[in-house]
Amino acid sequence: GVYVSEVKPFGEANKRGINTGDIVLEADRKEVDTPGDLKKAIESRKGGESVLLRVRRRVDGVAAFIAVQTPK
């Protein structure tokens, strides 16, 4: 997975509940092992489309699916 080291205040990830310390396990149901894998999944979408992330939350360790809209 990919460790979330920073979340922009009021950004899309922040609005969707992704926090520093969370781990992104999958993007569009494909495992991500590096930041490059995650970037590639996000950039494969057109601006404004959503990418489905599976994220393990830092606070409780629970994995959840979160849809995040890509930048326009």
Side-chain angles (χ1 to χ4, degrees), residues 13-50:
N14 179 264
K15 290 178 190 175
R16 301 292 179 201
I18 297 173
N19 296 298
T20 301
D22 290 348
I23 306 287
V24 179
L25 303 170
E26 296 178 2
D28 284 335
R29 301 196 185 264
K30 295 177 187 160
E31 287 187 20
V32 292
D33 295 317
T34 67
D37 293 342
L38 181 57
K39 183 177 179 180
K40 184 177 176 183
I42 292 169
E43 289 178 346
S44 72
R45 297 292 188 179
K46 292 180 183 175
E49 290 185 339
S50 293

Side-chain angles (χ1 to χ4, degrees), residues 17 22-23 25 54-66:
D22 290 348
I23 306 287
L25 303 170
R54 191 168 134 234
V55 179
R56 181 181 305 131
R57 299 192 182 275
R58 172 185 53 93
V59 292
D60 57 13
V62 173
F65 285 98
I66 301 171

